[in-house]
């Protein structure tokens, strides 16, 4: 192929290009896929994963790991509903939810950064604890929303596009900027690249890590609120297994688990690939059992393709 | 099949696509689809979010209506709203939707059997068996294989317990065995602990969320050396797990299971939905089905009567 | 046709031509020097020899047989051992296990521990290296680790042994052990390729010499008869360098750094010293003398158990590098790979990581100044790279060192600059430029502390030398007292009292 | 405390000592805990996790990761049952199951080592694919066992102790030996500790990694067989989420996710701690929702304790 094409494919944005090609193919082959209705449905279906992926990206880029996101999303959702039912003010509900998310995240961060406890174990623990809170708070039952305005968070539209999608877009923009153009972002990447060296270069490693987890908590709070509004109730066992989808979306998007490598564009692509896979499988009416296999194969193919790309690029 | 049928598309969304029960519902729905010649779109939705996406997805493929077994009844208002937004006709199966206030949404057509009812059937079956064996209630221990994370599970076991208590079973003889997951191994481990903690009790009964859960308890009793006639387990579902048990050469502590007919739930709901769309014939607001107890000796017959196999 | 023959070796990396058409030969029982500026292609050549990297063109032949290695494994099997520039040890394993890795003595897959220990013990003894082989490598100091790395050379009976800058982190005492070892191997008729930036070593050890420049063969000397150092320098750098130290007298100002009886976990005896504005203070000592420990304490890299630090008379906490930097102290640490480079990130980011805080607004970076800074120091320090966006791990060892130096030289408002083994692995040409930079900084009133295991270096550039030994400062000499004997005496564990030397 | 005690606590075996103390406490405080019946029940309940942990330890020690274990266990169980039903020979069934496990593991290994695809993604993919197979193979239904002898695998006893527990013990012994005293074990640790150095030292990194995953598959096969025999049927949705329990057991046991550090004794302790926690909670019949919280807290405490230990020891 011509050198220019090669250059594009092998460049930073190669992943995006591959994605666009794949997207075009799906649009052609899958009936009803490329309709604006389906596109909106697709985007709405990736809102939760997408939002959480924003901060998970930072987490992984700093060589950390967060399994507690699913529980936090569920818990925050419960809090949002119960608090706004209780106080009668939706705003207070939202604030409460985000605050709870932040606190849990902060605790994660402190335990991991200060007590030097392995991130996997810590977040696995908080994952359980927070899920426990969510279940206890409502005795394991879903909590309905009193004020219908709450639904509007998810139903309301701007320029014909539902609010959650706007929120997602905005968060993508914000965190993309934070990653590439702020000290915080660069420090995150540096910590992932070599924690000790970063510390000796004057990066306040502990503080940065605590911030990352706190942000993760806040973002989970937002995701929880939108989810609750979308499913018009707080569900204690919502978002189970979210962590894996989010992490694999990030890894699909070229975020290295060894830390130090992450791009927002990549993560967006990763999130969309996963969403499209689900969406297309349902459109094609693939039997439940076979969906497992297709899902797995798609995951492998996506990463394999990207690896071929980068090994062609010569980087290991 | 009318020409109209060709482009009639009906969705059938279930909460646990892997479960044999829902596999059966789908199977019978397909049967209806074949007869009437409409397209059936089967989608699994384990949680509220997946469900909402699934409805959007149906709308996008131009379906006209769908039957749903929701992962949580409290999703009611959301589902109704989504269905309206995608102008899809809506019917529920198995679990009935409720509003924020917890009251059932009367105007959504529903077919099913309440979890509590099933539980009561289980409880009754156990009582009868105990009588048949001539057990004294107060020398019997009960294993409540529980998975309280799942509201349906709670309603089912509570249903059973209510009947037991009514029959004079002592509350303090009912021991909780919470399974960490809904598979047999988890139930087995949880039940083992209860049995060992109360080694003095020699006769046991067990009930739980489904056949798998009760089987766990039965396996536990075997592993600690309680003979089959010292155990009474009654499950819910009546799919392979139970049948395998009945097929075993020697009888086990798993005496029976309450079978609900996936045929009616699958076939009839799909059919009703089709009539609603094609012939504008709105289905009954509420159809309640009943569970039937199947035992080692009569399970084939029961299954036939229910139109399974 | 020589015993070991490189013919027309060519190797390119994306954007870089590391080696182009390099050919030369080495005879049996000869030590062959390989010199060249940072990024000239020395390590690449060694890596190709080891089967780790593959040449795009050309061939290597040993004893007339062309070698084609699929992996490092079959390089071993063909009697080729390579001691790489970067330490290649497994921290969690013991010294013995590290030295046996890849060829454990075993029967049916079960390791014969006794045999392993005996074997390794014997080899270490014969090599004159004494390190407890049961210690885990992670508990060794850099210098000690380097010795372990070197011990690999004798672990199996090789025909060709290549050493890539083995002495860069050794002090004179360990170097002597190494040289003795090399002489022995030469005697056994092995071919030894010796990469180094230290001319005196090369002239002392080598029988023949090859000089690379920009990946091309710049010169080949079959024998060193009549070859002068200036000549070699000229061949490497492409210009004459009369005096690499280029020392200029300075006048010291008031005290900038005052360290008062500082002590820490690995430095029990309290140490005190001071550094004045416009002064370059040297710290000399043998490996394990505790110099790095002391500096890490000053910089707050390790928790201090006692003592006080003052900058410009103001006592500072220096609880962490973060604080220390903001209090005006920076440390460029000795362990480039572990404490210096940030893998996977670009040169630009590696340079700016600390100094960028002067150019940010509300935590938002200023692209322009980041780029400017990077470009400036890439030029100033002559970093050999296709672009400032290059991933730092793709740089040659010396070039990495330059980037790390750039990180600290680009700092602003700094009163005290501590550099630990600053010119480790840096070529002669670049060295003199770095010294020049240090002089300028000193003249601008900075207090500079140079930790070095290279005696000529400390003597060449410092105004004052502090000698450490066994975790204590054992002597202090001003420039007019400089004398190799005295300094070495103070550095060696068994010695007369410091004052005796001072006088 | 006296120096000798200190020495023991801070030594390699400190974790074990802490565990013994904890065990003693539980025995005292929890009624019906220290009865032989309960001990056997406890041990049987950790058989699956314990068996799989043996090889997961190698996987983590080599800086790898395996999420597919749960699916493999379920699949192997199905195969064991279906094959022995079909052939009428239990032996053939067992062989088939183990073979299947080995194949899946081998595929994992090859994809990861040769195609250099991130282990997390690869095993996440195979996790889905294999689960899919398990479901498809029996149309999502449980498969009953024809020959009652099959149950005997789990029910039979030797010296009053059920066979599965013996199997577990034997595997612990074998893999403990392999880790510490064989070339394979040392190479595994070396690869995890410094892959580059290992490669340069001539260790065949790829082959070792492939072997690790293959072994993991085999061991999952064994676990699957015992599980099937315990629940007297092959269940396609068995052992969901097993991977997390196993991994956290390993990390609890001091296996470092950064690779290079692992001890069998540690892993055994990790496995037992988890088992005891579950067991004790049920004995004290703590309500399901609170169990989440207790579980999480125990996880944290266990690791925290170990960290205090090792930081007192002065290692980072
Ligand atoms: N993996 C790589 N990718 C891209 N470029 C590389 C890579 N490895 C080395 N290079 C480039 O090849 C050239 C030669 O590198 P090499 O390590 O051989 O230099 P060197 O002579 O060993 O220098 P030094 O004295 O600093 O060790 C350098 O310009 C370096 O940037
Ligand atoms: N990571 C470590 N773990 C345990 N001990 C160490 C470690 N690093 C160094 N030491 C010990 O601390 C002492 C000081 O070592 P250090 O390397 O700081 O001395 P030095 O004077 O800086 O020598 P050099 O810098 O030339 O190696 C030595 O005895 C060394 O063995
Ligand atoms: Mg080099
Ligand atoms: Mg040092």
């Amino acid at each position: 192929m011509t050198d220019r094409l090669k250059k594009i494919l092998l460049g930073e944005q190669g992943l995006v290009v591959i994605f666009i090609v794949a997207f075009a193919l799906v649009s052609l082959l899958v009936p009803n896929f490329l309709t604006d209705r389906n596109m909106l449905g697709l985007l709405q279906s990736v809102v939760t994963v997408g939002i959480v992926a924003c901060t998970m990206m930072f987490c992984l880029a700093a060589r950390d790991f967060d399994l507690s996101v699913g529980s936090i999303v569920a818990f925050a959702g419960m809090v949002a509903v119960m608090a706004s039912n209780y106080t009668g003010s939706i705003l207070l509900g939202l604030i409460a939810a985000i605050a709870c998310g932040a606190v849990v995240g902060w605790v994660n961060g402190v335990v991991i950064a200060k007590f030097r406890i392995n991130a996997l174990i810590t977040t696995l623990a908080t994952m359980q604890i927070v899920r426990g809170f969510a279940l206890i708070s409502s005795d394991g039952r879903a909590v309905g929303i009193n004020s219908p305005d709450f639904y509007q968070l998810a139903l309301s539209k701007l320029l014909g596009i539902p609010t959650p999608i706007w929120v997602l877009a905005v968060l993508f923009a914000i965190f993309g900027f934070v990653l590439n153009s702020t000290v915080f972002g660069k420090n995150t990447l540096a910590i992932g690249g070599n924690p000790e060296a970063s510390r000796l270069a004057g990066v306040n490693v502990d503080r940065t890590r605590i911030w990352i987890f706190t942000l993760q908590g806040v973002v989970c709070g937002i995701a929880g609120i939108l989810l609750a509004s979308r499913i018009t109730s707080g569900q204690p066992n919502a978002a189970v297994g979210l962590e894996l989808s989010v992490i694999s979306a990030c890894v699909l998007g070229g975020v290295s688990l060894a830390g130090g490598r992450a791009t927002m564009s990549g993560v967006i692509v990763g999130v969309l690939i996963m969403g499209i896979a689900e969406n297309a499988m349902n459109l094609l009416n693939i039997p439940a059992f076979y969906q497992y296999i297709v899902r797995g194969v798609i995951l492998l193919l996506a990463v394999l393709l990207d690896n071929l790309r980068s090994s062609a690029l010569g980087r290991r | 099949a009318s020409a109209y049928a060709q482009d009639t598309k009906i969705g059938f969304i279930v909460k646990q696509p892997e479960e044999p029960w829902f596999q059966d519902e789908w199977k019978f729905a397909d049967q209806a689809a074949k007869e009437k010649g409409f397209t059936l779109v089967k989608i699994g939705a384990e949680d509220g979010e997946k469900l909402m996406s699934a409805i959007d997805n149906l709308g996008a493929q131009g379906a006209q209506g769908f039957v749903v077994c929701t992962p949580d009844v409290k999703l009611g208002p959301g589902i109704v709203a989504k269905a309206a937004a995608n102008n899809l006709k809506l019917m529920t199966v198995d679990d009935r939707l409720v509003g924020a206030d917890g009251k059932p949404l009367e105007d959504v057509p529903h077919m099913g059997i309440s979890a509590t009812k099933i539980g009561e059937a289980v409880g009754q079956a156990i009582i009868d068996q105990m009588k048949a064996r001539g057990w004294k209630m107060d020398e019997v221990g009960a294993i409540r294989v529980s998975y309280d994370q799942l509201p349906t599970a709670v309603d089912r076991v509570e249903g059973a317990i209510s009947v037991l208590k009514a029959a004079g079973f002592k509350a303090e003889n009912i021991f909780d065995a919470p399974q960490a997951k809904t598979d047999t191994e988890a139930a087995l481990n949880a039940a083992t602990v209860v049995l060992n903690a109360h080694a003095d009790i020699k006769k046991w009964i067990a009930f739980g969320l489904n056949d798998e859960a009760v089987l766990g308890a039965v396996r536990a009793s075997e592993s600690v050396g309680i003979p089959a006639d010292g155990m009474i387990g009654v499950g819910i579902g009546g799919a392979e797990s139970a049948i395998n048990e009945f097929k075993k050469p020697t009888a086990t502590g798993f005496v029976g299971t309450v079978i609900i007919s996936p045929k009616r739930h699958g076939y009839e709901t799909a059919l009703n939905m089709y009539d609603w769309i094609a012939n504008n014939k709105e289905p009954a607001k509420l159809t309640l089905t009943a569970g039937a107890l199947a035992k080692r000796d009569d399970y084939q017959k029961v299954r036939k009567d229910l139109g399974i196999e | 046709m020589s015993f070991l023959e490189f013919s027309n070796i060519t190797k390119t990396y994306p954007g870089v031509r590391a080696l182009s058409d390099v050919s030369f030969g080495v005879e049996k029982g000869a030590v062959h020097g390989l010199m060249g500026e940072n990024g000239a292609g020395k390590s690449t050549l060694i890596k190709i020899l080891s089967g780790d990297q593959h040449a795009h063109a050309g061939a290597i032949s040993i004893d007339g047989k062309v070698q084609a290695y699929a992996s490092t494994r079959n390089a071993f099997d063909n009697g080729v051992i390579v001691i790489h520039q970067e330490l290649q040890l497994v921290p969690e394993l013991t010294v013995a296990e590290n030295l046996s890795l890849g060829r454990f003595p075993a029967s049916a897959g079960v390791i014969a521990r006794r045999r392993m220990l005996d074997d390794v013990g014997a080899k270490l003894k014969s090599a004159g290296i004494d390190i407890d082989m049961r210690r885990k490598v992670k508990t060794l100091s850099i210098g000690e680790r380097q010795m372990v790395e070197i011990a690999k050379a004798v672990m199996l009976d090789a025909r060709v042994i290549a050493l890539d800058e083995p002495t860069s982190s050794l002090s004179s005492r360990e170097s002597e052990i190494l040289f003795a070892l090399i002489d022995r191997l030469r005697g056994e008729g092995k071919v030894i390729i010796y990469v180094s930036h230290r001319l005196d070593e090369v002239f002392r050890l080598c029988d023949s010499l090859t000089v690379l420049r920009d990946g091309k063969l710049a010169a080949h000397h079959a024998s060193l008869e009549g070859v002068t150092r200036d000549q070699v320098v000229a061949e490497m750098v492409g210009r004459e360098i009369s005096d690499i130290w280029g020392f200029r007298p300075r006048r010291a100002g008031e005290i900038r750094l005052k360290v008062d009886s500082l002590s820490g976990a690995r430095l029990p005896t309290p140490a005190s010293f001071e550094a004045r504005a416009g002064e370059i203070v040297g710290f000399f000592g043998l490996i394990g003398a505790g110099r790095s420990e002391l500096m890490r304490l000053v910089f707050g890299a390790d928790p201090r158990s006692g003592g006080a630090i003052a900058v410009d008379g103001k006592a500072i906490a220096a609880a962490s590098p973060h604080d220390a930097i903001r209090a005006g102290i920076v440390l460029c640490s000795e362990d480039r790979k572990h404490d210096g480079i940030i893998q996977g990130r670009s040169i630009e980011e590696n340079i700016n990581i600390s100094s960028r805080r002067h150019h940010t607004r509300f935590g938002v970076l200023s692209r322009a100044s980041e780029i400017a800074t990077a470009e400036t120091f890439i030029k100033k320090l002559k970093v050999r790279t296709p672009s400032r966006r290059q991933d730092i791990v793709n740089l040659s060892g010396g070039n990495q060192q330059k980037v790390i130096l750039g990180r600290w030289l680009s700092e602003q408002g700094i009163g005290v600059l501590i550099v630990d083994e600053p010119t480790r692995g840096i070529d002669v040409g670049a060295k003199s430029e770095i010294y020049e930079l240090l002089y300028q900084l000193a003249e601008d009133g900075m207090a500079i502390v140079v930790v070095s295991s290279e005696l000529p270096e400390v003597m060449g550039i410092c105004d004052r030398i502090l000698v450490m030994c066994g975790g204590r400062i054992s002597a202090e000499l001003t420039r007019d007292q400089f004398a190799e004997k005295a300094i070495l005496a103070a550095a060696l564990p068994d010695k007369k009292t410091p004052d005796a030397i001072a006088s």
Side-chain angles (χ1 to χ4, degrees), chain C residues 50 52 72-73 76 84 87-93 97-98 101-106 109-111 113 136 138 152 337:
Chain C
S50 76
D52 174 26
T72 52
R73 170 82 218 186
F76 290 126
H84 290 274
L87 290 172
Q88 298 294 356
L89 300 169
V90 183
E92 287 290 335
L93 297 186
E97 286 165 346
N98 265 282
L101 189 58
R103 43 188 174 285
F104 285 106
V110 179
I111 296 177
R113 201 167 292 276
K136 284 193 172 181
K138 67 177 176 186
K152 286 179 179 174
K337 192 173 182 187

Side-chain angles (χ1 to χ4, degrees), chain C residues 291-292 334 420-421 451:
Chain C
R291 297 161 299 170
S292 301
E334 69 178 329
D420 194 350
E421 312 284 1
V451 176

Side-chain angles (χ1 to χ4, degrees), chain C residues 43 85 164-165:
Chain C
S43 298
Q85 181 170 12
D164 195 348
E165 300 191 33

Side-chain angles (χ1 to χ4, degrees), chain C residues 38-39 41-44 47 85-86 164-165 195 197 396-398 425:
Chain C
N38 298 125
K42 306 181 292 296
S43 298
T44 305
K47 286 180 190 154
Q85 181 170 12
E86 301 293 345
D164 195 348
E165 300 191 33
V195 178
H197 290 293
S396 77

